[in-house]
Amino acid sequence: MKGDEAPASAVRRQLSTQQRAVEQLRALAKPYRLRVQVDGEGFPLIPGRYGQIEWHCDGVSCWSCPLPGQLALAVYSDRPRLFEKLWAIPGVKRHQTGDTEIRAVFPPEALEHVAGAIKARRRRTLPPEEARRRGFKPTHRATSGP
């Protein structure tokens, strides 16, 4: 092993942290039908019209978290008119504040209110029977024929 390479266990641990974060955020977002995406580094986020909700820490290895010892989510927004509305939600704590953007940390209990404030995108849940009844065509075909 060369001096500049990371050990395989560290790479595995980093991937498992990201996978755990994706699983946790999907489980929290499922009752509200929120759409969960993965960013370039593999961490989950919930996109919204006025910002995004991100996974912040798992409550175990949180050395700089404003909510130590508990699962924490973060909200990012670059809409200054929304800042006061976000800070008014119970449990939301300022983390990083700039002139035109903020990042605030909040517990999972406030997810529904924060998602409503940033107008988070929801998953579409249209059963196949209802889609056929409305006349929607399927997006893919089982065969390549007409």
Side-chain angles (χ1 to χ4, degrees), residues 12-117:
R12 242 183 273 123
R13 194 172 336 123
Q14 183 180 12
L15 291 176
S16 67
T17 301
Q18 293 163 339
Q19 289 169 348
R20 258 192 326 239
V22 170
E23 290 173 6
Q24 286 176 342
L25 192 58
R26 281 199 174 129
L28 290 170
K30 188 173 183 171
Y32 308 112
R33 294 184 13 249
L34 297 172
R35 187 179 300 177
V36 177
Q37 296 177 341
V38 179
D39 68 2
E41 296 176 359
F43 284 100
L45 64 93
I46 298 171
R49 185 175 198 162
Y50 302 125
Q52 65 186 21
I53 297 172
E54 305 164 350
W55 181 84
H56 186 70
C57 79
D58 59 359
V60 177
S61 57
C62 52
W63 54 272
S64 71
C65 182
L67 303 171
Q70 62 179 345
L71 178 69
L73 303 174
V75 59
Y76 167 83
S77 179
D78 58 357
R79 306 289 181 120
R81 288 182 163 185
L82 193 63
F83 298 173
E84 293 295 326
K85 190 183 283 189
L86 287 170
W87 291 326
I89 298 171
V92 175
K93 297 183 186 258
R94 297 178 191 206
H95 184 59
Q96 296 172 329
T97 306
D99 291 338
T100 61
E101 59 187 9
I102 64 160
R103 183 174 165 92
V105 178
F106 62 94
E109 295 82 36
L111 178 60
E112 183 178 12
H113 298 293
V114 173

